[in-house]
Amino acid sequence: MKASTLSFFAAVIAVLVGMSWGIVMALSHDHSAMPAHAHLNLLGWVSLFLFGIYYRLHPPLDVSRIAMMQVWIWIVGTIVLTVGVAMIHAGNKAGEPFAGIGSFVVLGDMLLFGWLVVRYERRAAA
Ligand code: HEM
Ligand code: HEM
């Protein structure tokens, strides 16, 4: 599978869960999970779809193992962060390490993506 294909699949799953969660929040008039819903949609749907577009635009990168790894790390980090933030806002302090670890996983993974972009763009310009 290409990195972009995995990104698009995971993004659609994230937004289906995220939208359903939004509807549950709206119907229940309980918006306490709002930050978890927001970050599932923003890290899961928006960011993953953007990674997918970048990889699809650059076929050599799209078939590389490092791009595939970057997408998988992002998926795992997003799930860990979302679960942690949801637990915190449900009043469970045990969510804090999950939110913290998830944050650094996605931050580190964004640095990896940034490095891939810089490397690719420099090669393309040369
Ligand atoms: C069926 C679709 C959706 C429903 C029903 C829904 C519902 C909600 C609800 C009820 C809130 C809480 C609002 C508040 O307490 O102020 C919220 C917040 C939020 N949602 Fe959604 N949402 C949906 C889709 C999305 C999508 C696709 C995204 C991102 C691409 C998104 C991003 C956000 C953000 C960023 C916030 C926080 C806004 C703020 O800071 O006030 N939502 N959503
Ligand atoms: C390492 C990744 C990230 C961390 C640790 C993080 C952390 C946070 C925190 C602590 C808040 C305040 C939540 C509250 O008041 O309860 C927040 C709000 C927000 N963040 Fe992030 N964020 C991250 C990535 C992003 C990204 C990539 C986007 C957009 C693409 C984004 C968009 C927002 C928005 C729209 C809000 C206001 C809505 C809300 O309160 O949930 N964040 N973020």
Side-chain angles (χ1 to χ4, degrees):
M1 198 196 285
K2 290 179 181 171
S4 58
T5 308
L6 176 63
S7 294
F8 294 141
F9 280 155
V12 171
I13 292 169
V15 79
L16 288 173
V17 176
M19 290 169 80
S20 306
W21 201 349
I23 292 171
V24 169
M25 278 198 304
L27 289 176
S28 65
H29 299 290
D30 176 1
H31 294 186
S32 58
M34 183 258 270
H37 155 86
H39 289 84
L40 174 61
N41 281 320
L42 295 169
L43 299 169
W45 165 240
V46 181
S47 307
L48 273 172
F49 207 84
L50 292 174
F51 292 142
I53 293 172
Y54 186 81
Y55 290 137
R56 185 58 61 94
L57 285 171
H58 303 98
L61 205 51
D62 206 8
V63 294
S64 71
R65 281 182 59 179
I66 186 112
M68 194 64 159
M69 199 177 79
Q70 188 272 325
V71 175
W72 270 119
I73 295 171
W74 193 269
I75 292 169
V76 173
T78 298
I79 294 170
V80 173
L81 184 149
T82 301
V83 168
V85 172
M87 285 168 74
I88 292 169
H89 288 271
N92 187 347
K93 273 191 163 273
E96 284 176 4
F98 292 98
I101 291 166
S103 301
F104 282 101
V105 169
V106 291
L107 177 63
D109 199 41
M110 187 55 93
L111 286 171
L112 173 59
F113 180 71
W115 175 74
L116 286 176
V117 170
V118 169
R119 198 181 62 155
Y120 192 92
E121 298 300 327
R122 286 172 90 171
R123 278 190 191 164

